[in-house]
Amino acid sequence: MHDVHMRWSDMDAYRHVNNTAYLTYLEQARVAMFFDRFVSFADGTVIAKHEITYLRPVIYHPEPLRIEAWVDTIRGASFVVHYEVLDEGVVAARASTQCVTVDFAHDRPRRLTDEEREVLRGFADEPASAR
């Protein structure tokens, strides 16, 4: 779980949080989840794909949004992070991000290490709304 604060500038002309702001919210949750805590992910992970399903509009308010995040589909050089964006306890969006580990020195994907796999398995879970 991670809380993210909306910015007034995240709203668009329709007076709700713009769809592009969600990518920033997801990034904040993902970085807090493991990139801030496990240097190997921060030193060599890129984003291959995002998918977001918007379920209801979010109107700016000072309370943070809650991001529930979990990992699955751990493969040789990639994994998927899933999210639920909760606005005052109600799911406003569901999303996923495919992350690929990369060897930047050789500019190609690299296999996940055993340690990285163990870290990712620690985040294998399901959303709170499914429990």
Side-chain angles (χ1 to χ4, degrees):
M1 262 184 292
H2 185 73
D3 290 340
V4 296
H5 286 87
M6 295 174 275
R7 299 172 305 175
W8 182 259
S9 61
D10 291 344
M11 283 193 302
D12 61 18
Y14 300 109
R15 301 181 46 88
H16 65 268
V17 172
N18 187 275
N19 64 314
T20 60
Y22 285 78
L23 289 173
T24 302
Y25 303 155
L26 302 179
E27 177 186 54
Q28 288 176 24
R30 190 173 56 254
V31 167
M33 191 175 184
F34 37 73
F35 296 140
D36 278 349
R37 299 186 295 174
F38 305 102
V39 70
S40 65
F41 290 110
D43 285 346
T45 305
V46 298
I47 304 307
K49 179 180 175 181
H50 288 294
E51 289 185 12
I52 304 174
T53 302
Y54 303 96
L55 302 171
R56 62 188 285 273
V58 172
I59 308 301
Y60 173 85
H61 52 78
E63 295 81 30
L65 299 171
R66 171 141 300 178
I67 311 290
E68 298 270 347
W70 66 99
V71 172
D72 77 359
T73 319
I74 302 169
R75 297 215 161 114
S78 68
F79 56 95
V80 177
V81 181
H82 296 275
Y83 319 83
E84 284 190 338
V85 179
L86 292 100
D87 179 23
E88 299 178 328
V90 178
V91 179
R94 288 193 174 95
S96 63
T97 301
Q98 182 180 12
C99 302
V100 177
T101 48
V102 174
D103 175 348
F104 288 123
H106 296 97
D107 198 27
R108 66 176 191 218
R110 67 165 177 80
R111 295 192 67 76
L112 288 159
T113 66
D114 290 340
E115 179 185 24
E116 290 169 332
R117 288 178 182 285
E118 190 61 33
V119 167
L120 293 171
R121 283 188 204 103
F123 292 108
D125 205 346
E126 62 183 13
S129 66
R131 291 183 207 139

